[in-house]
Amino acid sequence: LHLGEQHYETKTITASLNPTWRESFEFRYLSTSGSILQASLWDSEPGLQDNIIGETEIDLDKIAPNKPFKYVFGLDQTNTKISLMIKILKFAELGAAELQLQKEINDAESRILAEQYKLANTFNDVSNVGYVIVKLIRATNIPNKTLGSVDPFVVMEIENCRSVSPVRENCVEPEWNLTYRFPVNDFHSILHISLWDEEDLVSNVLLGKVAIPLFLCGGVKKHILKNAKLSDIGKGELTIETTAFYNPIRATLRTFSPKEEVILKEPSKFNTTLFQRDVKRLTTQIEMLQDMGEGIDNIFRWR
């Protein structure tokens, strides 16, 4: 993906004709960077030159701000289609010195965000509720595996915004010290952070996760991770720093609007146990209806 001089690449999905990435990238969309987002799909060839499959261009000026837009486009001269979710967040005009593409939180950015969300500016952009900055510091207490190495990475999600950290190969005490930014349209949302172990030949393994309500964000905290259902202790701990900027009036007004549809959610998986349970319940209900029907018939027949 290219926008001006900004460039991002997804992870490589091996041996797949229908790859799914579910990765998120943040571009600073400025008047100086142009409005054309260039997207290209490549076939990775280890040890050889990568081959381009196709490419296309997306005019960001045609997309409404502050609303997730699911874009399905066909690549030039191919039958391949790619689906992207694009969301444009409007910001006030900022000075060039304050728009440096950097990952570390700085005083200039905090000052700009505090100004943007203060009460005096409530009605300048009512749909822009808030902004959360997450600094991923480190993970600790990750258990070693009997076979193979632990290659941890972290996934952070708020509604339709998702960021994935780099993988720290063969490391049980990884440090990242990277900063990620998330626009927020509903301050009732949850920040979901999960720690994973990357596997080459099988599916990645979830080590643990944590769910943080946005109104509890603030400061540096060490979180003990829980399992997938958040019902028991998982594996490892995560130290993160969060900073939340929001306008309370905009957040209150947003409460009365429909909740944003989560497009990036995982597709539902078939659950055999639930299916068997539902079939049993349905069978029981049918038998009850049959017995009820026989009883009514007996009444009318004076049996």
Side-chain angles (χ1 to χ4, degrees), residues 157-204:
E157 299 174 279
I158 301 178
E159 294 177 336
N160 284 307
C161 295
R162 161 187 285 240
S163 291
V164 182
S165 77
V167 177
R168 295 291 187 246
E169 296 183 356
N170 194 18
C171 184
V172 293
E173 298 285 335
E175 291 197 12
W176 287 275
N177 290 310
L178 296 175
T179 301
Y180 299 89
R181 297 162 173 82
F182 300 90
V184 177
N185 277 345
D186 186 351
F187 242 78
H188 296 93
S189 301
I190 305 293
L191 169 62
H192 295 276
I193 304 179
S194 53
L195 178 65
W196 295 79
D197 177 20
E198 185 181 57
E199 297 286 353
D200 293 330
L201 302 179
V202 296
S203 298
N204 295 328

Side-chain angles (χ1 to χ4, degrees), residues 96-114:
E98 296 167 319
L99 288 172
Q100 297 298 321
L101 299 175
Q102 57 184 0
K103 287 296 182 181
E104 296 301 318
I105 301 173
N106 53 56
D107 292 339
E109 181 178 34
S110 297
R111 185 175 67 251
I112 292 165
L113 291 170

Side-chain angles (χ1 to χ4, degrees), residues 30-49:
L30 317 173
S31 57
T32 55
S33 63
S35 63
I36 302 299
L37 176 65
Q38 297 174 318
S40 56
L41 181 66
W42 294 76
D43 180 18
S44 177
E45 297 287 350
L48 302 174
Q49 184 175 0

Side-chain angles (χ1 to χ4, degrees), residues 1-2 10 21 37-42 52-60 63 69-86:
L1 298 172
H2 289 268
T10 67
W21 288 276
L37 176 65
Q38 297 174 318
S40 56
L41 181 66
W42 294 76
I52 187 169
I53 298 174
E55 56 186 346
T56 190
E57 294 184 344
I58 304 168
D59 188 353
L60 300 180
I63 299 177
F69 180 78
K70 190 172 183 179
Y71 190 97
V72 180
F73 62 88
L75 300 178
D76 297 340
Q77 300 179 346
T78 73
N79 293 324
T80 304
K81 293 184 178 181
I82 293 184
S83 177
L84 295 176
M85 199 283 291
I86 301 174

Side-chain angles (χ1 to χ4, degrees), residues 177-300:
N177 290 310
L178 296 175
T179 301
Y180 299 89
R181 297 162 173 82
F182 300 90
V184 177
N185 277 345
D186 186 351
F187 242 78
H188 296 93
S189 301
I190 305 293
L191 169 62
H192 295 276
I193 304 179
S194 53
L195 178 65
W196 295 79
D197 177 20
E198 185 181 57
E199 297 286 353
D200 293 330
L201 302 179
V202 296
S203 298
N204 295 328
V205 177
L206 176 66
L207 298 175
K209 63 188 298 185
V210 63
I212 308 171
L214 296 188
F215 60 83
L216 294 180
C217 286
V220 179
K221 295 180 182 178
K222 178 182 286 189
H223 297 272
I224 299 174
L225 300 181
K226 296 186 177 182
N227 61 7
K229 295 183 178 181
L230 299 174
S231 59
D232 202 353
I233 299 298
K235 300 177 181 178
E237 301 174 345
L238 275 177
T239 301
I240 61 172
E241 179 180 2
T242 56
T243 308
F245 299 89
Y246 73 102
N247 182 288
I249 297 179
R250 295 179 192 173
T252 302
L253 294 175
R254 180 65 180 81
T255 302
F256 299 99
S257 301
K259 189 174 180 60
E260 179 179 307
E261 178 188 2
V262 180
I263 299 174
L264 290 178
K265 62 184 177 182
E266 292 279 8
S268 300
K269 296 182 180 179
F270 182 78
N271 189 311
T272 304
T273 303
L274 290 179
F275 176 73
Q276 293 174 343
R277 185 197 66 185
D278 291 340
V279 169
K280 185 176 180 180
R281 286 180 175 177
L282 182 59
T283 302
T284 302
Q285 295 294 328
I286 292 175
E287 291 175 350
M288 290 176 60
L289 289 175
Q290 289 176 338
D291 291 342
M292 186 181 299
E294 291 177 0
I296 294 175
D297 183 65
N298 289 337
I299 292 174
F300 281 104

Side-chain angles (χ1 to χ4, degrees), residues 131-176:
Y131 205 65
V132 172
I133 300 176
V134 180
K135 183 175 182 181
L136 175 62
I137 301 175
R138 69 178 65 87
T140 53
N141 292 329
I142 300 176
N144 278 305
K145 293 194 298 189
T146 305
L147 296 174
S149 62
V150 178
D151 306 315
F153 68 94
V154 176
V155 177
M156 293 149 283
E157 299 174 279
I158 301 178
E159 294 177 336
N160 284 307
C161 295
R162 161 187 285 240
S163 291
V164 182
S165 77
V167 177
R168 295 291 187 246
E169 296 183 356
N170 194 18
C171 184
V172 293
E173 298 285 335
E175 291 197 12
W176 287 275

